[in-house]
Structures are given as C-alpha cells and as structure tokens.
C-alpha cells in the first residue's frame, strides 16, 4: 500500500487577524489553538497534526481498509512505523513527508509507505494497494485494478464503473467524485437496508474503527520509535502506559472528551 501524492502543503503564510465572519474559536474546538494564518481550507488543515493524522490517517486508511476487507483481516497483532519530515522542512506543515508502517498479521504483513515528494515507484498506481500472491499480483486504486498472473498469461484489467447515463445529475453535482458516486449510492442503500432490517451494513462501523485506529497507532509508533501492540478489549497498548496515555489527548478549554460510558 502506498501514496506518493504531493498533497502536503508547505507554505509559510503570515499570521493575521481572524475575519469577523469566521468563528476560529469554535472551528478549532478541542484541538490545540494555532496562530491564525488564513482560512484553514481543505488543503491547509490536513497538513497539521493538531487537526488530523497526516497522510497515513488520510490516505493509508482507505487502502488498509480495502485490503483488510478483501483478505478478511481484523486487528493487526503489532504495528511498527518510522518516518518524519525528511525533505520538506521549509514550511509550517508538521505532518510527516515520509513514512512507512508495518501492520503485522499471523501469516503476512501489510506494508504502507508514503512520500509527499519525488516520483512514485509505479506511475500507474501512485495511490494504491498491491496484493502479492502465489498465483500473481493484484493491483488496485480508486480508478482501476489489474491482476498480473505469475504464469505469464494475459493480465486481467478492471476499470471504474460510472453511472453518468443512469444518474445524469452526477455531472452537475458540485465537487462530486464521479468515480466514487456509484459506490457511495450502494453504500447508502445498504446502510438504509441495514437500519430497516436490523442487520450490519457491508461497511460496518467496527471495521472502520479498526482501520482508523490502526493508522493512528502507526503514527504513535513513529513518534515513540517502537512497535505497539494494541488490546481492543481493554483499549490499551499492552505493557506501554506511555503509549496508552497518548491514545487520548487533552482537550482545550472547556471541551470534554467523550468516554464510552458517557456517550
């Protein structure tokens, strides 16, 4: 799994007065308060760990979730990650520009790597997963997939499915991701059916939690420079009280962190 998009903002905008129309206090919420240096648009806020979990939490989570679903994987046995800001040191951004992570399972590992600089190792799959099997390699991203057999037979290719003719309103929807629209519709229908039938949806919240938490643990492993073993029952990192304490950060001001027994 990898992502080589140049999506890490690297600017140095000056501090400025908060506009009258913008409630920066409420927008910041429980997160640490950063000096205001312009509207925190979608590219700017994502580049600070005060608000998010970097490229690993932004991009790895999608590919890890896909691979886990395809291979029927649960919680990793152990998570190890290394990285930092190795190249893009001039801007204010504080998320890693280079990071690798290993999510360990019984019979294989899931490996992640991202760089927000340089070229991808596979220009056809700059953000993708690759599953290596005894019969071949399966490559996939959000636009296509292909299976390359090890025996030299013809590669099997799959392209994204659009529904432009069936749903022409997609073409005029602001900021829509056309390649994701069919899957979004099916997930919404599946979710509504699950509510009606008291069943779990295909994209169950527990699986979303596992993929998300695994990426957060990878960031903690990078910060602490050691592997982490997480126990989802006790919600602790085994034999590591320092890492366990970092699973929840202090909230700012009067904001209160929700607990399982209070929500």
């Amino acid at each position: 799994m990898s992502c080589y998009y140049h999506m890490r903002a690297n600017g140095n905008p000056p501090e400025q007065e908060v506009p009258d129309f913008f409630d920066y206090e409420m927008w910041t919420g429980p997160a640490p308060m950063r000096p205001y240096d312009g509207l925190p648009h979608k590219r700017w806020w994502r580049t600070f760990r005060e608000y998010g979990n970097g490229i690993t939490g932004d991009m790895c989570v999608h590919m890890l979730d896909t691979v886990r679903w395809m291979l029927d994987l649960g919680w990793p046995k152990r998570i190890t990650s290394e990285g930092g800001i190795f190249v893009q040191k001039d801007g204010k951004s504080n998320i890693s520009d280079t990071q690798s992570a290993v999510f360990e399972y019984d019979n294989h590992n899931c490996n992640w790597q991202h760089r927000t600089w340089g070229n991808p190792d596979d220009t056809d799959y700059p953000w993708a997963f690759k599953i290596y099997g005894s019969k071949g390699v399966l490559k996939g991203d959000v636009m296509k997939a292909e299976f390359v057999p090890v025996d030299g037979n013809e590669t099997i290719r799959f392209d994204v499915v659009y529904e432009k003719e069936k749903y022409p309103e997609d073409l005029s929807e602001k900021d829509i991701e056309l390649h994701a629209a069919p899957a979004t519709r099916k997930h919404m229908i599946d979710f509504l059916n699950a509510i009606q039938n008291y069943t779990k949806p295909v994209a169950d919240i527990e699986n979303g939690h596992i993929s998300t938490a695994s990426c957060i643990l990878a960031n903690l492993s990078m910060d602490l420079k050691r592997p982490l073993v997480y126990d989802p029952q006790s919600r602790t990192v085994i034999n590591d009280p320092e890492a366990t304490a970092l699973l929840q950060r202090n909230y700012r001001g009067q904001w209160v962190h929700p607990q399982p027994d209070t929500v």
Side-chain angles (χ1 to χ4, degrees), residues 171-236:
L171 299 175
S172 58
E173 181 73 23
K174 186 178 183 296
D175 295 330
I176 192 173
E177 293 182 308
L178 281 173
H179 63 278
T184 300
R185 268 188 288 270
K186 288 181 173 61
H187 275 299
M188 292 177 68
I189 293 171
D190 177 68
F191 180 63
L192 293 173
N193 287 336
I195 294 174
Q196 184 174 5
N197 299 317
Y198 297 95
T199 57
K200 286 186 178 182
V202 170
D204 181 52
I205 190 171
E206 181 181 10
N207 275 310
H209 167 60
I210 293 173
S211 298
T212 303
S214 294
C215 291
I216 293 172
L217 287 162
N219 283 338
L220 289 182
S221 173
M222 177 182 66
D223 293 340
L224 296 171
K225 303 184 186 309
R226 57 177 178 266
L228 302 180
V229 177
Y230 181 69
D231 176 13
Q233 300 304 316
S234 63
R235 298 189 296 276
T236 61

Side-chain angles (χ1 to χ4, degrees), residues 44-240:
W44 192 234
W45 72 260
R46 292 165 76 174
T47 203
F48 292 98
R49 292 190 65 179
E50 286 87 344
Y51 313 134
N53 293 295
I55 309 298
T56 299
D58 194 349
M59 307 298 279
C60 175
V61 64
H62 297 288
M63 295 303 165
L64 178 61
D65 199 58
T66 301
V67 169
R68 287 186 49 256
W69 170 66
M70 294 178 71
L71 300 181
D72 194 24
L73 301 174
W75 284 96
K77 294 178 59 178
R78 185 168 68 168
I79 298 172
T80 306
S81 182
E82 296 178 337
I85 304 174
F86 297 158
V87 176
Q88 298 171 322
K89 300 180 179 182
D90 295 334
K92 293 183 178 181
S93 302
N94 58 24
I95 63 172
S96 65
D97 65 11
T98 309
Q99 190 172 345
S100 60
V102 180
F103 306 91
E104 297 182 29
Y105 290 91
D106 285 332
N107 298 312
H108 52 264
N109 295 337
C110 294
N111 298 296
W112 165 259
Q113 183 183 71
H114 75 249
R115 279 185 282 103
T116 58
W117 52 273
N119 295 328
D121 62 349
D122 185 342
T123 55
D124 290 332
Y125 289 92
W127 175 40
F129 69 83
K130 295 179 181 179
I131 299 177
Y132 297 88
S134 60
K135 297 182 179 180
V137 180
L138 177 64
K139 307 176 184 181
D141 62 18
V142 296
M143 301 299 293
K144 61 189 178 302
E146 59 183 287
F147 178 70
V148 184
V150 74
D151 58 12
N153 286 335
E154 186 177 354
T155 296
I156 302 171
R157 291 181 171 83
F158 310 86
D159 289 320
V160 65
V161 174
Y162 292 106
E163 295 179 328
K164 301 175 187 177
E165 293 78 15
K166 188 175 181 180
Y167 299 98
E169 59 269 26
D170 284 356
L171 299 175
S172 58
E173 181 73 23
K174 186 178 183 296
D175 295 330
I176 192 173
E177 293 182 308
L178 281 173
H179 63 278
T184 300
R185 268 188 288 270
K186 288 181 173 61
H187 275 299
M188 292 177 68
I189 293 171
D190 177 68
F191 180 63
L192 293 173
N193 287 336
I195 294 174
Q196 184 174 5
N197 299 317
Y198 297 95
T199 57
K200 286 186 178 182
V202 170
D204 181 52
I205 190 171
E206 181 181 10
N207 275 310
H209 167 60
I210 293 173
S211 298
T212 303
S214 294
C215 291
I216 293 172
L217 287 162
N219 283 338
L220 289 182
S221 173
M222 177 182 66
D223 293 340
L224 296 171
K225 303 184 186 309
R226 57 177 178 266
L228 302 180
V229 177
Y230 181 69
D231 176 13
Q233 300 304 316
S234 63
R235 298 189 296 276
T236 61
V237 180
I238 296 176
N239 298 324
D240 198 331

